[in-house]
Amino acid sequence: MKMPLLPIYDVLILGGGPAGLSTALSLARVRRTALVISHGSFRNNGVHEMHAVLGHDKRDPADFRKEAKKQIGAYGSGIQFAESEIVRVAKAAIGEGLQGFLAEGRDGSIWHGRKLVLAMGSRDVFPDTEGYAENWPTNIYQCLFCDGRERSHLPMGQLGFPSSSHLNHLMMLRHLGGEGADVTVFTNGPLPEDNALLEAVKAAESLGTRFETANIIKYERVPSPGIGIRVCLEDGRKISLGFLLDKPSTVPVGEEMLVEGLGVEIASDPLGRNIKKNEPFGETSVKGCFVAGDAGSSLKHVTMAVTQGVGAAGGTQAQLCAEEAQDVLASLSNPRTRGNVEEAC
C-alpha cells in the first residue's frame, strides 16, 4: 500500500517561544506556510512577569505566547502548530528533486520543510549544589534588567567573584539597591592570591559589601510569608536574601542532536555555547537552516528573541523567493513547460 505523501511546509520552526512565534508571525504576513513545533517547556518556566519588554512590561509570559498565537491565527491557516519533543532533525529529500529538512517527534511523527528555523532556546547548566535548581528562576536571577528591582529593598547576594572584572557586576547590583544597599558576595571558598582581584575586593568592601568565603552546602527558600532565598554555609550559618545573582553557563537545547543530525557549528564564549550564525538573518553553517533567539545568542532576552525571529523569517523568505525565481527561469528555458508557465501567468 502506498503511503500518503507528507505535507511540505515552506518553513519548519522548532520552538514556540518568542523567537519561534515572531518568525511565524512574520511568515504569516507574507503568506508562507510554516509549522511551529514546541515541547511546551520554556527557560523562564516559573516566571510570572516579563520585564524590560517594551509594551509588555510585567506581562505573564504564558499570556504573551497565547496572544501571539491569536495574532498569528488572524492571518489564516498558513501557520500550523504541533506539540512534540523533537528527537531527530536532518537534511533530507522531501519531494521529487526537492531538498529540505526533516524533523521527527518522540511519538514518531515526521514533518518536512523547505527551510528550518532553530528557535528551541537554551538550557542553563546549573551547579549541583542542593536547592539551586529549585530556587531558579524565582529566587536566583541572572539578569538585572529582567529581575531584581522588585526585591532591591531586601538584602541581595552575588554568587562568585572569580576575577577583578566582577567588580563591574557588583556595581550594577549596588546601583540597583541604591544608597545603603545591603550586598553580600559569596565566593564559595577562599579567594585566590591575585593582586588585581584583591584590589577589587578592597574596593567593594569600601562600599560596604561583605564577602563570605565559607563553602555553600545548600540553598533554601525563605519560609512563607517571607520571600527570597537562604544561603546555607558549611559553618552552620544561614543568610537570608531577597535574591541571589548568578550567571550559569548555557547550551542550546538539543545541541547534540543538532550537531550530529544537521552538522551545525557551535561557538563558545565565556557565557557558554551557542549555535554559530551569520548576520543579518541568522543563517547557520548549514544552508537553509537559521537560528533565532537564545539558542544562537549570548544576549538572551525576549526583545532580542523577537527581533531575531523577524530576521530569520526574512532570511527564509529571501531564499524561498530566490529558488522560486530560478524555477520560473528554468521553466521558461524548457520548451515542454513554457506553455504551462505562460498559461499560469
Side-chain angles (χ1 to χ4, degrees), residues 236-250:
R237 288 178 298 143
K238 296 183 178 183
I239 299 177
S240 295
L241 306 166
F243 68 89
L244 182 65
L245 181 66
D246 188 30
K247 184 75 173 176
S249 62
T250 59

Side-chain angles (χ1 to χ4, degrees), residues 23-164:
T23 305
L25 179 62
S26 300
L27 291 173
R29 290 275 306 162
V30 293
R31 301 186 188 277
R32 287 294 177 184
T33 63
L35 178 68
V36 181
I37 310 170
S38 173
H39 52 58
S41 180
F42 303 94
R43 183 173 175 240
N44 63 359
N45 280 350
V47 171
H48 301 294
E49 288 187 355
M50 305 186 305
H51 297 119
V53 182
L54 190 64
H56 299 281
D57 195 55
K58 297 189 176 182
R59 188 168 193 174
D60 188 310
D63 207 34
F64 177 85
R65 294 190 296 269
K66 182 178 179 180
E67 178 63 24
K69 288 184 178 180
K70 180 181 176 181
Q71 292 178 4
I72 291 167
Y75 287 102
S77 60
I79 309 298
Q80 300 291 312
F81 295 87
E83 291 288 328
S84 183
E85 179 186 356
I86 298 300
V87 296
R88 183 168 71 96
V89 60
K91 294 180 287 185
I94 59 174
E96 187 175 347
L98 186 61
Q99 293 293 313
F101 298 91
L102 171 154
E104 181 179 351
R106 187 167 294 281
D107 63 357
S109 298
I110 292 178
W111 299 278
H112 288 161
R114 294 169 63 188
K115 303 297 173 184
L116 179 66
V117 174
L118 306 176
M120 73 293 290
S122 62
R123 176 176 61 84
D124 297 281
V125 181
F126 298 148
D128 57 9
T129 310
E130 180 184 346
Y132 188 101
E134 290 76 9
N135 278 281
W136 178 280
T138 53
N139 295 314
I140 301 176
Y141 303 154
Q142 56 90 28
C143 170
L144 293 179
F145 289 98
C146 304
D147 299 291
R149 182 184 175 97
E150 288 73 17
R151 299 187 186 180
S152 59
H153 62 290
L154 299 171
M156 300 175 290
Q158 175 173 306
L159 183 59
F161 204 82
S163 69
S164 58

Side-chain angles (χ1 to χ4, degrees), residues 251-303:
V251 296
V253 171
E255 177 182 11
E256 184 176 345
M257 171 187 69
L258 297 174
V259 171
E260 292 182 358
L262 278 176
V264 296
E265 295 180 6
I266 302 294
S268 297
D269 63 28
L271 300 178
R273 299 193 297 275
N274 301 298
I275 297 172
K276 192 174 182 179
K277 64 181 180 180
N278 298 306
E279 300 297 351
F281 299 117
E283 189 171 23
T284 71
S285 56
V286 178
K287 185 173 177 56
C289 173
F290 297 77
V291 61
D294 290 1
S297 175
S298 295
L299 296 176
K300 303 181 191 301
H301 188 268
V302 173
T303 303

